[in-house]
Amino acid sequence: MLPIILRRLALSVPLLVVVSAITFVLESFVPGDPARTVLGINATQEQYDALQAAMHLDQPVAVQYWLYLRDLLQGDLGSSLFSGESVLGLIGQRLPVTLALVIGGTVLASLVGVVLGVYSATRGRFSRRLFDIVSLLGSAVPNFWIALLLVAVFAVKFAFFPATGYTPFAESPGEWAAGLVLPVISLSIGGVAFISKVTRDAMMSTLALDHIRTLRASGIGPTSIIWKHALRACGLPVVTTIGLMMITFIPGTILIENVFTLPGLGTTVVDATNQHDLPVVQGLTITFTVMVIVVNLLVDVLYSLLNPKVRTE
Amino acid sequence: MTTVEAPPKARSRPRINPFAGIWRRPVPAAALVVVVGISVAVIFAPLLAPHPPLAQDLLHTLSGPSANHPLGTDALGRDVLSRLLYGGRPTLIGVGLAVLVYAFFGMSLGMLAGYLRGWTDRVIVAVLDVMLSVPAVIITLAVLAIFYQSNAAAMLTIGFFASAGLARIIRSSCIALREELFVDAARVSGLGPARIMARHILPRLTGQLLVPVFLFSGNALAIQTGLGFLGLATPAPAPSWGGMVGDAAQIMQQDPYLLFVSGGLIGLMSLSFGLVGDGLRDLEQDRRQATGGRLRRPVPATAPENAAKPSDGAVLAVRDYSIAFATAHGPRTVVDSISFSVRPGEIFGLVGESGSGKTVTGLSLLGLLPPNGAVTSGAAWLADTRLSGLPERELQRIRGSEIALVSQEPMLALDPYFTIGSQLAEVIRRTAAVSGRKDAVRERIRELLTSVHLRDPDDVARRHPHELSGGMLQRIVIAMALAGSPKVLIADEPTTALDVTVQAGILDLLRSLRDEHGMAIILITHDLGVVADTCDRAIVMEQGRIVEEGSVEDIFYRPRHAYTKKLIESTPSIARTEGRIA
C-alpha cells in the first residue's frame, strides 16, 4: 500500500506547483500595470498598494512566485486585500461548511446510488430503461437549478427547511442539520445518477461470474448473494466512482453554497473573484486542490484495503 | 496514472457517417433536433426576437405569456423570449470556444503521444495526469479574478483542462492505428511523421471525436450557465441563460415561473447534448458488433401434461429435453430433445466436445441457465419432483441440498473476497441440518475439509482463495458441494483446469465420495480417458443431440456412431485406459 501512497504524493507535487503558479502566470499576461487592470478603475490607492505588496508586483514574475512559495511553505498564505484577514484564518473558518456539504453529499449519494443501482441490476428490462432516463436527467440537469427548484418547493411553498443561511453546529445542531438538508440533496443528485449507473453495470457483470454461480448452486439465497457477495465484488469500481464523484462535489459546492448563501469556501471564492482579491483566490485554489489530493489518497488507501490480494502481500 | 482505455478497433474504411442511423432512433434523433434547432434560433436571434433584449416595459412586468410577449416578461418588463434568444449567444459561444480548445488539444496531444511514442509519449502522459487532477472549475475562477467577466477566458480554460480526457482516448486509438498496414505503407513510401499524422491518422480519428464532444458540450454548458448564474461570465444588463436563472431566483418568492423557463431551457439543452452523445456511442457500438436487432427470448416450455413422470427408479431423469438461447438471429437450440436417466449411486458421464450442450444441460438441472436461455421442451425430474418450471424459491431449496455443482474453474469458483471458512459456514448454515452454533459449524467445516483429504483444515479455512492452489481449491469446491449431502452431484469438467498430476487425485476423490455417500455423480467432460477411468454409464452428445448411450464398456468396445469412434481415436490416453478396462 505504501508505494501507492508515495506515488500519489509524488504526483501531487507538480500539481500543486502548477496550481499555485497559475495566478502569477496569468497576471504576467495582463498588458500594462497588472494591479491596475486587475483591480479596475474603482479601486482605492490603499487596495492598489496592498495588491502590489501582497503579490510583490514590482518584482519579475519568477521572483514573485518564488517569494509566494517561500511564504506558503511557512504556512503564510497572505491576507485579504479588503478585510485584511489572514487567508489561512479565513479558510479555517469557512472550511467546515464546505466539508459538511461534501461529506454529507458523498454519503447520501453513495447510499442512494448503490441501493438504486443494485435494485435496477436485479429487475427487468423495463425498469432498467426507466432508470437510464432518470439517471441521465439527474446527471444532465445543472445542480444549481435543481437547488433552486428544491428551494421553491420545500422552502418557499412548504417551508419545511430554511431557504438560505447557516447555523453553526455549536449553536444548534438541529438547525445546523436542517439548514444542510436541501444543499446536500441538491449537491448529491448528479452523484446518485453516476454511482447508480456504475453500480448497476458492475453488479450485472458480477452476477454472471463463476463464484456467484457456485454460491447459487449451493442454495445461497438472493439477498446474501446480491448484498453480500456480489456487492463486495463491486467494491473496487464503486469506490473508484465514489472518489471521482466526491472530486466533482468539491467545485460543485461553489454553486450550491451561493444558492443557499452558506458561508463556505465556495461563497468565499466567488466573492473574492468578484472583488479581485487575488491572495484569497490564490489560497482557496490551493485549498481546493489539496482537498482533491486528499480524496484521491483516500481512494487509493480504500482501494488497496478492498483488494485481498494487495492486502495480504 | 497510465491507464490505457481499451482502443476501439480501427475500422477498415476510414469514413463512415457517424450520424448514419440516428434517425431510426427516436430519442437521440429528437435530441439532435433540439440541439440544432435551439442553436439555429440563437444564431438568428436578431431576426427571430420579437423585442430588443434590453427594452424595458415597466408597465408590464412579470406579465405571463401573451400575444405580444410569447413567454411573458421579467421583473423589468423585458421580453423573456427575446432575452432567451439573445442570452443563448454568450452561452453557446462559450460552449463553442470550450469545444474548439477541447478538440484541438485533445487531438493534438493524443496524436503526438500515440503516434510518436517514446519520450514524447511519456512527457505528454505525465502532463495529462496533472491536467486531469487539476480542479478546473476552481482554476477558472482564478482566471476570472484576473480576466474579470471574460466568458472567453473562462471557457478556454475549461476546454483546455478537459482536453486531457479526450487526449487519452485519442492516444490509445492512435497506438492501435499505428500498427495498421496502411501506416506502415505510408512510412515505407517515405512520408514523414507529420504528413502521416495529418493525412492518414487524423481522418480516421475524427469519427471518434464526436461522442466525447457532445458529452463534453453538456458539461461545458452546465459550467458556463453556472458561471453566468454567479454573474461571473457576462456583464450585467446583457442577457445570458445562467444570468436569467439568477434574475429569476431573485423574484422566486413572488413568481417561480421564470425559474422554470430559463432553467428548463438549460436543462433541456444539456440533456439533449448528453442524449445525442449516448445515442452516437450506441450506434458506433452496434456498427462494431454488427448487431442491430433485439434479442428474442426463447419461449419456456409450459406444458407439463405432455411429459409424464418417468418411473424407472432413477434419481434424476430427463425426458425430451430441449434448451434454446436468444441470439441476435433469433432463438438457437443448443440441446435438442435429449432423454437420459441417472441411477442412485452411479457415476454418469455426459461426454462431448465444447459446444455440444453438455454444460448447459448440467446448469439447467440446477435452474442456473443464463438469463437469455430457457428449457423449451420436455422436463427434468429429480426423483418425483419436476424440476423444469419449478419456482425460484423451490429451486433454491433444492440447490446444494438435493443437487450440487462442482464447476470447471476452481480458481474462479470461490468468492475471492471471503475466507474459505466463512464461505463454507454460509453454505452449511443454509443447507445442512447443523444448528447455528459457532463451534458446531466449525466442527462441520473441519469434517468437510478432511473428507476431501485436505491436511490442516483449520489453516485452509482461514485463507482466501488466491492463497491456495487449483487442486486444493477444487477439493474445497467439492467439500462445499458435499455440505448439504446432495443426492446428485454435477461435476462440470472438474479436472480440466488442473495439472495432470492433480487430476487423478480429484477423480479418485469423486469415486471414493460416491462409495461413501452413495450419491449419483453426473460427470461432464470432453475427455474420454476420464470417462473410461471413472464412469459407469455415459451418453455422448454432439451438437445438442445424444449420439451414443450405454455402459462405458459398450461405448468403448462397441461404438455405434461415427462421432464416438472419432472421439475415441482422438483421445491419446485411451490406449492406456483401454488396457485397464480389459
Side-chain angles (χ1 to χ4, degrees):
Chain A
M1 194 194 299
L2 194 65
I4 301 172
I5 295 174
L6 289 179
R7 216 184 83 83
R8 177 64 66 184
L9 288 177
L11 184 67
S12 57
V13 172
L15 180 62
L16 281 172
V17 170
V18 168
V19 167
S20 59
I22 210 124
T23 42
F24 293 96
V25 175
L26 290 170
E27 162 253 300
S28 71
F29 286 130
V30 174
D33 182 352
R36 200 42 85 199
T37 314
V38 165
L39 288 172
I41 41 170
N42 297 327
T44 61
Q45 185 64 35
E46 288 80 54
Q47 287 162 0
Y48 177 81
D49 294 340
L51 182 59
Q52 283 281 7
M55 306 278 294
H56 306 282
L57 287 180
D58 46 343
Q59 309 276 343
V61 175
V63 179
Q64 292 172 23
Y65 181 53
W66 167 247
L67 292 172
Y68 183 79
L69 268 191
R70 197 193 55 191
D71 290 346
L72 179 69
L73 291 176
Q74 291 165 356
D76 178 9
L77 285 169
S79 46
S80 163
L81 299 183
F82 294 86
S83 63
E85 240 179 308
S86 99
V87 174
L88 206 59
L90 195 65
I91 291 167
Q93 190 188 326
R94 303 293 171 90
L95 186 64
V97 180
T98 304
L99 279 185
L101 265 184
V102 170
I103 293 171
T106 304
V107 170
L108 181 68
S110 308
L111 288 178
V112 178
V114 166
V115 170
L116 275 182
V118 169
Y119 185 81
S120 105
T122 52
R123 288 293 176 279
R125 252 217 349 234
F126 175 75
S127 78
R128 276 210 290 278
R129 271 276 166 84
L130 187 74
F131 168 87
D132 275 343
I133 293 169
V134 173
S135 103
L136 191 65
L137 263 178
S139 57
V141 175
N143 67 4
F144 65 93
W145 188 51
I146 292 179
L148 287 167
L149 293 183
L150 288 177
V151 170
V153 176
F154 293 102
V156 175
K157 197 156 180 12
F158 296 115
F160 286 159
F161 301 103
T164 56
Y166 177 78
T167 317
F169 182 81
E171 233 168 75
S172 157
E175 279 176 43
W176 172 80
L180 283 176
V181 170
L182 291 182
V184 163
I185 291 177
S186 340
L187 185 64
S188 64
I189 281 179
V192 169
F194 190 26
I195 299 285
S196 56
K197 187 132 192 147
V198 170
T199 308
R200 198 261 306 262
D201 293 349
M203 182 55 86
M204 286 180 71
S205 46
T206 303
L207 286 175
L209 291 179
D210 273 23
H211 75 260
I212 297 295
R213 195 177 65 192
T214 309
L215 291 163
R216 290 183 67 195
S218 313
I220 305 294
T223 313
S224 165
I225 290 198
I226 291 169
W227 294 102
K228 181 177 167 190
H229 296 278
L231 196 58
R232 180 65 182 77
C234 296
L236 294 182
V238 171
V239 161
T240 313
T241 315
I242 291 177
L244 288 175
M245 173 193 75
M246 204 166 170
I247 286 168
T248 68
F249 281 179
I250 291 169
T253 55
I254 295 176
L255 281 161
I256 298 298
E257 285 176 12
N258 276 281
V259 169
F260 293 95
T261 55
L262 301 176
L265 298 177
T267 36
T268 312
V269 73
V270 170
D271 291 347
T273 303
N274 270 318
Q275 296 175 319
H276 317 285
D277 197 343
L278 285 191
V280 176
V281 172
Q282 180 85 277
L284 286 172
T285 316
I286 293 171
T287 314
F288 278 112
T289 309
V290 169
M291 285 168 77
V292 171
I293 292 170
V294 169
V295 172
N296 273 325
L297 257 180
L298 277 178
V299 171
D300 286 346
V301 169
L302 263 181
Y303 208 88
S304 34
L305 285 180
L306 280 173
N307 191 340
K309 285 177 200 166
V310 176
R311 197 174 44 196
T312 39
E313 265 157 24
Chain B
M1 272 183 289
T2 44
T3 8
V4 177
E5 278 84 354
K9 213 167 156 39
R11 300 188 209 99
S12 47
R13 274 178 304 152
R15 281 169 209 276
I16 291 176
N17 176 11
F19 288 101
I22 198 168
W23 303 114
R24 270 180 274 123
R25 293 166 181 246
V27 175
L32 187 60
V33 169
V34 168
V35 167
V36 174
I38 293 180
S39 306
V40 168
V42 165
I43 291 168
F44 291 106
L47 298 176
L48 295 173
H51 299 274
L54 298 178
Q56 302 184 2
D57 180 356
L58 292 172
L59 295 176
H60 298 99
T61 59
L62 298 176
S63 71
S66 67
N68 195 22
H69 301 289
L71 290 177
T73 57
D74 69 3
L76 295 172
R78 297 174 294 196
D79 182 59
V80 171
L81 177 62
S82 307
R83 285 180 71 74
L84 282 177
L85 286 170
Y86 278 98
R89 305 188 127 196
T91 302
L92 294 187
I93 288 172
V95 170
L97 280 176
V99 165
L100 278 181
V101 174
Y102 171 79
F104 175 77
F105 280 103
M107 266 304 207
S108 39
L109 288 177
M111 233 165 59
L112 285 175
Y115 185 76
L116 297 177
R117 310 301 313 270
W119 272 105
T120 323
D121 187 28
R122 259 176 258 178
V123 170
I124 291 180
V125 166
V127 170
L128 295 182
D129 277 349
V130 174
M131 278 167 73
L132 280 172
S133 329
V134 166
V137 174
I138 317 281
I139 300 295
T140 307
L141 288 183
V143 170
L144 285 169
I146 291 177
F147 300 97
Y148 191 55
Q149 291 189 330
S150 166
N151 187 23
M155 296 313 286
L156 292 178
T157 313
I158 293 291
F160 173 71
F161 283 107
S163 72
L166 176 63
R168 279 196 177 181
I169 302 174
I170 295 295
R171 174 180 172 269
S172 33
S173 320
C174 201
I175 290 174
L177 271 178
R178 200 173 181 271
E179 310 303 325
E180 296 268 322
L181 274 179
F182 66 88
V183 176
D184 283 339
R187 219 175 287 147
V188 171
S189 70
L191 283 186
R195 288 218 154 178
I196 295 181
M197 277 190 267
R199 284 223 192 128
H200 296 280
I201 308 265
L202 186 64
R204 286 173 171 80
L205 290 175
T206 43
Q208 288 178 28
L209 203 57
L210 225 46
V211 173
V213 157
F214 270 98
L215 297 177
F216 171 67
S217 299
N219 290 341
L221 181 83
I223 292 172
Q224 201 286 334
T225 51
L227 293 174
F229 171 75
L230 294 172
L232 290 171
T234 14
S240 80
W241 286 353
M244 289 177 72
V245 175
D247 293 345
Q250 301 291 324
I251 52 157
M252 186 167 65
Q253 312 260 2
Q254 304 135 344
D255 185 4
Y257 162 71
L258 289 176
L259 194 60
F260 296 113
V261 177
S262 52
L265 182 64
I266 297 171
L268 177 69
M269 193 69 175
S270 157
L271 182 66
S272 300
F273 275 128
L275 284 171
V276 174
D278 283 351
L280 289 176
R281 179 166 45 202
D282 290 348
L283 281 174
E284 198 182 289
Q285 246 161 32
D286 283 357
R287 269 197 290 273
R288 209 175 300 149
Q289 299 167 350
T291 60
R294 284 191 179 163
L295 299 186
R296 258 187 302 134
R297 297 195 53 180
V299 185
T302 45
E305 68 278 1
N306 66 3
K309 183 176 81 69
S311 52
D312 52 2
V315 61
L316 188 113
V318 162
R319 289 292 175 271
D320 189 29
Y321 199 59
S322 302
I323 298 170
F325 277 91
T327 70
H329 314 289
R332 205 170 75 84
T333 301
V334 292
V335 172
D336 193 357
S337 308
I338 62 169
S339 302
F340 63 84
S341 299
V342 182
R343 296 172 200 143
E346 85 175 333
I347 300 186
F348 184 83
L350 216 64
V351 194
E353 291 173 318
S354 52
S356 61
K358 53 193 193 323
T359 295
V360 167
T361 305
L363 289 178
S364 77
L365 297 175
L366 286 151
L368 289 179
L369 283 176
N372 61 335
V375 175
T376 50
S377 83
W381 303 80
L382 176 76
D384 288 338
T385 315
R386 185 174 191 270
L387 292 171
S388 317
L390 215 56
E392 177 62 23
R393 213 152 233 308
E394 285 294 303
L395 280 170
Q396 194 192 314
R397 194 192 53 77
I398 286 172
R399 287 180 205 136
S401 43
E402 305 273 336
I403 310 178
L405 175 75
V406 173
S407 63
Q408 188 164 3
E409 278 285 354
M411 309 296 248
L412 302 176
L414 291 165
D415 192 333
Y417 299 102
F418 292 86
T419 60
I420 304 300
S422 86
Q423 296 185 55
L424 277 171
E426 193 174 355
V427 175
I428 289 167
R429 288 211 184 84
R430 171 79 210 152
T431 55
V434 173
S435 65
R437 281 183 38 244
K438 257 198 175 154
D439 35 338
V441 172
R442 198 175 306 137
E443 187 47 45
R444 177 76 176 135
I445 291 175
R446 200 170 293 143
E447 196 181 299
L448 282 170
L449 291 176
T450 315
S451 78
V452 293
H453 309 158
L454 281 168
R455 259 165 271 145
D456 203 353
D458 291 340
D459 178 62
V460 170
R462 273 193 299 271
R463 301 209 175 254
H464 281 86
H466 71 270
E467 299 172 89
L468 302 167
S469 72
M472 289 172 91
L473 289 173
Q474 195 61 299
R475 286 170 191 274
I476 292 162
V477 173
I478 293 172
M480 195 185 252
L482 293 176
S485 318
K487 297 195 185 75
V488 180
L489 180 71
I490 299 172
D492 182 5
E493 304 269 12
T495 55
T496 312
L498 302 176
D499 289 343
V500 182
T501 46
V502 184
Q503 288 182 3
I506 295 288
L507 292 174
D508 280 343
L509 174 66
L510 286 176
R511 265 194 304 262
S512 72
L513 288 172
R514 185 267 310 263
D515 296 342
E516 269 170 58
H517 300 275
M519 66 190 166
I521 297 177
I522 298 180
L523 187 65
I524 299 173
T525 180
H526 67 281
D527 186 343
L528 279 174
V530 169
V531 176
D533 247 3
T534 322
C535 296
D536 304 311
R537 289 190 313 126
I539 56 174
V540 180
M541 288 179 71
E542 185 199 13
Q543 295 187 342
R545 294 166 189 274
I546 296 179
V547 295
E548 192 86 43
E549 181 174 14
S551 70
V552 168
E553 285 82 359
D554 283 344
I555 289 178
F556 281 96
Y557 292 116
R558 292 173 288 280
R560 272 166 297 181
H561 198 277
Y563 178 72
T564 318
K565 288 178 195 151
K566 228 171 65 200
L567 267 188
I568 295 174
E569 282 161 20
S570 64
T571 309
S573 58
I574 294 290
R576 175 177 62 86
T577 43
E578 259 182 335
R580 191 186 301 185
I581 287 171

